Amino acid sequence: MSADQNAARLYETLRKIQEPKGYFFNKDKEMVLELMASLLTNKDRHGYMVCPCRLASGDRNQDKDIICPCVYREPDVKEYGSCYCGLYVSREWNEDLIPHEYVPERRSPA
């Protein structure tokens, strides 16, 4: 299976799990598939799907807050309609019913 096919497969798997929880993928599917591919790269590199928008330490325990979906997703989507990466969004965000604001980093620097 090619990298693109793996990314598409991950997209469908996660979509089915996350949408019933109220988390939707960004409507920019090209960007989402690039993030899916990056998650799979990180899984190969670190052994877990750490956030592709943050720098991982390679220590699962230190990175546990940024394993996708990260612990910051819920407050980010609740407050801004989007997570830090823009991967997960609310339905309202995808339908342009709320502004698309910059999402600040909630993770404190090490």
Side-chain angles (χ1 to χ4, degrees):
M1 189 175 289
S2 73
D4 288 345
Q5 289 173 319
N6 284 336
R9 186 174 178 184
L10 179 61
Y11 174 94
E12 286 303 322
T13 300
L14 293 178
R15 186 185 64 74
K16 290 175 186 171
I17 295 169
Q18 299 302 324
E19 282 189 359
K21 297 176 182 177
Y23 297 103
F24 299 85
F25 284 133
N26 190 312
K27 61 186 175 185
D28 183 346
K29 193 169 182 179
E30 183 177 337
M31 179 197 79
V32 170
L33 289 175
E34 288 175 10
L35 289 171
M36 293 290 111
S38 297
L39 283 169
L40 291 169
T41 297
N42 282 344
K43 185 177 181 183
D44 288 343
R45 184 177 295 148
H46 302 295
Y48 47 93
M49 290 196 299
V50 67
C51 176
C53 300
R54 295 179 168 104
L55 186 60
S57 71
D59 179 320
R60 187 182 183 99
N61 194 43
Q62 287 183 9
D63 294 337
K64 66 183 177 186
D65 62 324
I66 58 171
I67 294 174
C68 190
C70 72
V71 300
Y72 311 106
R73 178 186 69 169
E74 184 176 340
D76 284 350
V77 172
K78 184 176 182 179
E79 186 172 352
Y80 299 100
S82 170
C83 73
Y84 179 70
C85 294
L87 176 62
Y88 288 106
V89 300
S90 66
R91 181 184 307 272
E92 294 78 13
W93 192 97
N94 256 351
E95 294 176 356
D96 296 323
L97 299 174
I98 60 173
H100 295 185
E101 297 179 35
Y102 170 74
V103 179
E105 173 64 280
R106 291 181 189 269
R107 190 179 201 214
S108 60

